[in-house]
């Protein structure tokens, strides 16, 4: 069952039937700094295996999105938060976070993570801080994975 919330005349929903994969892929592959060039099949698989939210406005279609990689019990990683350029400055990023913080599948987590280059102020309003215990975290990083 999908979770919907209307804020400021915009419908926020995790209903896959409402999610516009074409525009979302255009934003993430073509306009984001974090996943530029991601192939459509890889993006579609990521969306299918995540809690994915679209912000929809009558007459405009999907105007923003976010994705949460999660087990829906203990951990979540908020990613692919994107607001269409024509709709920036309206508080949609904040509204997406309000929706995510209220979503029943994202409650009671030990950890909720995200990474950002330039929106620290937005996320701090919702309780996010710098990563703790960084001496315990490790990663395998391959920034050229899609160039092969």
């Amino acid at each position: 069952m999908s979770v919907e919330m209307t804020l400021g005349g915009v419908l926020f929903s995790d209903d896959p039937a409402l999610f516009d994969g074409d525009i979302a892929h255009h934003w993430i592959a073509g306009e984001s700094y974090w996943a530029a060039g991601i192939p459509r099949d890889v993006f579609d698989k990521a969306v299918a295996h995540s809690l994915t939210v679209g912000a929809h406005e009558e007459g405009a279609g999907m105007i923003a999105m976010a994705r949460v990689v999660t087990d829906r019990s203990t951990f979540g990683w908020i990613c692919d938060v994107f607001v269409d350029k024509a709709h920036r400055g309206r508080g949609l990023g904040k509204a997406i976070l309000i929706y995510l913080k209220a979503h029943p599948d994202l409650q009671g987590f030990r950890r909720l993570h995200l990474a950002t280059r330039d929106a620290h102020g937005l996320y701090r309003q919702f309780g996010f801080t710098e990563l703790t215990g960084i001496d315990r975290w490790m990663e395998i990083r391959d920034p050229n994975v899609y160039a092969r």
Side-chain angles (χ1 to χ4, degrees), residues 100-122:
L100 293 176
K101 291 288 280 184
H103 196 289
D105 288 351
L106 303 177
Q107 303 304 308
F109 286 6
R110 290 181 59 109
R111 295 193 194 291
L112 182 61
H113 286 223
L114 59 80
T116 184
R117 181 173 72 185
D118 54 7
H120 296 79
L122 167 66

Side-chain angles (χ1 to χ4, degrees), residues 4 55 83 128 136 138:
E4 296 184 347
V83 177
F128 286 91
R136 298 179 187 138
M138 297 178 72

Side-chain angles (χ1 to χ4, degrees), residues 67-83:
R67 191 166 64 84
V68 184
V69 179
T70 181
D71 62 8
R72 298 177 191 237
S73 285
T74 64
F75 178 82
W77 169 46
I78 299 173
C79 57
D80 291 344
V81 178
F82 195 92
V83 177

